[in-house]
Amino acid sequence: MTDVVDEIRKLENRRYQAMTDADIATLDELLSADLVYGHSDASRDSKQSYLDKVAGGFFDYGSISHPEAGLVVHGDCVIVTGDMRGEVQVLGQTRVLNSSASGLGP
C-alpha cells in the first residue's frame, strides 16, 4: 500500500504544479473526464470548462501549497483530503486560497 500512497502523492504534486504552470496537457492527462471541480465560491466546472478557463487565463495560479490531511486507499479507490493554500488571479483580481480540498480517484 505504501507504493500506492507514494504514487498518489506524486500525482497530486504533478497536478498542482500543472495548475501553477497552466500546463493544459498535463492537467488533461491527470484529470478525469468525469471531473466536477468545486470552487470556494460554490461554482463548479466540468473538466473541459476548467481546462478552458486555465488555458484562457481566467484562473492564473501563483504558488500553491497543498498540505495533505489524509490519504485513504479503499479497494481500487483513493480519497485524498487536505488544504489548498496560495493565491490565484481570477479575471485579474487576486484571491487568497485557504480552502479545504478533497479528491477521489481510481
Side-chain angles (χ1 to χ4, degrees):
M1 177 154 16
T2 301
D3 292 340
V4 171
V5 169
D6 289 343
E7 182 62 24
I8 295 301
R9 286 184 177 134
K10 288 177 188 174
L11 290 168
E12 281 287 274
N13 287 335
R14 278 186 69 208
R15 178 173 69 91
Y16 279 100
Q17 188 63 53
M19 290 168 63
T20 62
D21 293 345
D23 181 347
I24 304 308
T26 298
L27 288 170
D28 188 39
E29 170 193 341
L30 293 174
L31 300 176
S32 168
D34 299 325
L35 174 78
V36 177
Y37 195 116
H39 299 283
S40 59
D41 67 357
S43 65
R44 291 179 181 83
D45 276 301
S46 66
K47 176 182 178 176
Q48 192 58 57
S49 66
Y50 178 72
L51 292 177
D52 290 346
K53 286 178 178 177
V54 173
F58 184 93
F59 295 121
D60 183 7
Y61 292 97
S63 179
I64 300 173
S65 68
H66 52 101
E68 175 190 306
L71 200 150
V72 177
V73 178
H74 186 70
D76 62 353
C77 291
V78 178
I79 301 167
V80 181
T81 58
D83 297 324
M84 183 170 152
R85 298 184 184 138
E87 290 186 350
V88 61
Q89 295 280 323
V90 179
L91 293 175
Q93 292 192 4
T94 300
R95 293 192 185 169
V96 174
L97 300 170
N98 189 17
S99 303
S100 180
S102 61
L104 171 70

